Amino acid sequence: MGALNHAASKIAECIQNNGILHVFGCGHSHMLGEELFYRAGGLVPVSPILIEDLMLHKGAVRSSKLERQNGLGREFMQHISIEPGDVMIVASTSGRNPVPIDVADTARERGAFVIAITSPRYANTQSSRHSSGKYLYQAGDLTIDNHIEAGDTLMKEEALDIGFGSGSTIIGMAILNGIITEAVNIMISKGFTPPIFKSGNVDGAMEHNRKLIDRYKNRIPMLES
């Protein structure tokens, strides 16, 4: 089974067993969680772990410094509800910084299946900043390689020694949407009705969505906040 199909199968199994799909990333990678959350046509039981100090709007340089702190991920994960049977997706293209690794480690210790979206080829060109010396691709149960080169750029100008055309976010979102689509197909093929949001701009959607929110809001408080 390929990595994408494996991920879809684990997510389908999780949802069928009333589990939650958690998504975490620092910096621009946090957008992958927002992409899947509260999405028309998307799964309802998705919980993005959005730590504002690790996002750009509270200080871009500061967020980068914090991502490199050993132990910070374990600290805020104390307040995140992770249960056995849940699935955790952790995105970090370089995979070298401590916070995403600590999030992955903590989730695995609590019984979640951890999917790392990262670039092993990028990681192996850089030293790990984690106290253990490992990288994110070594911390999950399943690694999905986004094939991003070191520096997270798709274009280069050798004469000027610059790279440009950032690729990790759009590629990560494409990967995740493909996985979720296949997970839904798997659930349907097994006779299970997947919990899917309808667009709030379509007549009749509010009642449908409210029932699903009521079903999951105890584990995903952000649905009500």
Side-chain angles (χ1 to χ4, degrees):
M1 180 183 293
L4 298 180
N5 287 332
H6 189 183
S9 177
K10 295 301 292 188
I11 290 170
E13 178 184 347
C14 165
I15 303 305
Q16 288 175 274
N17 290 320
N18 295 315
I20 301 294
L21 171 61
H22 308 268
V23 189
F24 175 79
C26 299
H28 288 90
S29 293
H30 88 270
M31 290 190 284
L32 274 63
E34 291 186 319
E35 169 68 11
L36 298 186
F37 178 64
Y38 198 60
R39 185 73 163 177
L43 288 169
V44 177
V46 173
S47 181
I49 300 174
L50 302 177
I51 307 301
E52 289 197 42
D53 286 339
L54 295 169
M55 296 158 70
L56 304 179
H57 66 278
K58 293 192 74 174
V61 174
R62 177 173 177 268
S63 71
S64 293
K65 290 180 179 177
L66 289 174
E67 186 181 358
R68 300 172 186 177
Q69 268 190 29
N70 280 277
L72 178 61
R74 288 191 174 275
E75 182 179 323
F76 65 72
M77 285 295 286
Q78 294 178 25
H79 309 290
I80 305 297
S81 172
I82 307 291
E83 296 184 2
D86 286 352
V87 171
M88 168 70 81
I89 294 174
V90 181
S92 171
T93 293
S94 76
R96 67 185 302 212
N97 289 317
V99 167
I101 296 169
D102 283 343
V103 169
D105 284 345
T106 304
R108 286 188 76 189
E109 289 163 8
R110 295 189 192 169
F113 184 85
V114 176
I115 301 168
I117 297 181
T118 187
S119 174
R121 70 178 71 191
Y122 189 151
N124 288 330
T125 67
Q126 310 295 318
S127 60
S128 171
R129 293 181 172 129
H130 194 267
S131 57
S132 70
K134 69 182 178 182
Y135 301 90
L136 179 60
Y137 75 85
Q138 298 168 317
D141 296 290
L142 174 67
T143 294
I144 295 176
D145 187 351
N146 64 14
H147 296 278
I148 296 291
E149 299 289 346
D152 193 8
T153 55
L154 304 178
M155 305 291 289
K156 292 183 179 179
E157 175 49 64
E158 300 292 352
L160 298 176
D161 190 27
I162 58 171
F164 56 102
S166 304
S168 62
T169 304
I170 191 168
I171 290 172
M173 288 183 178
I175 288 171
L176 284 182
N177 278 294
I179 290 170
I180 296 302
T181 298
E182 182 58 23
V184 170
N185 282 329
I186 291 170
M187 286 184 265
I188 292 171
S189 73
K190 294 185 176 181
F192 180 84
T193 301
I196 299 288
F197 277 120
K198 292 184 178 180
S199 170
N201 296 311
V202 173
D203 290 343
M206 289 184 64
E207 182 179 355
H208 170 89
N209 290 346
R210 170 48 58 186
K211 289 178 180 178
L212 290 171
I213 288 171
D214 287 344
R215 177 177 168 185
Y216 290 104
K217 66 183 181 182
N218 287 339
R219 290 213 58 204
I220 311 175
M222 200 181 301
L223 283 173
E224 286 282 68
S225 299

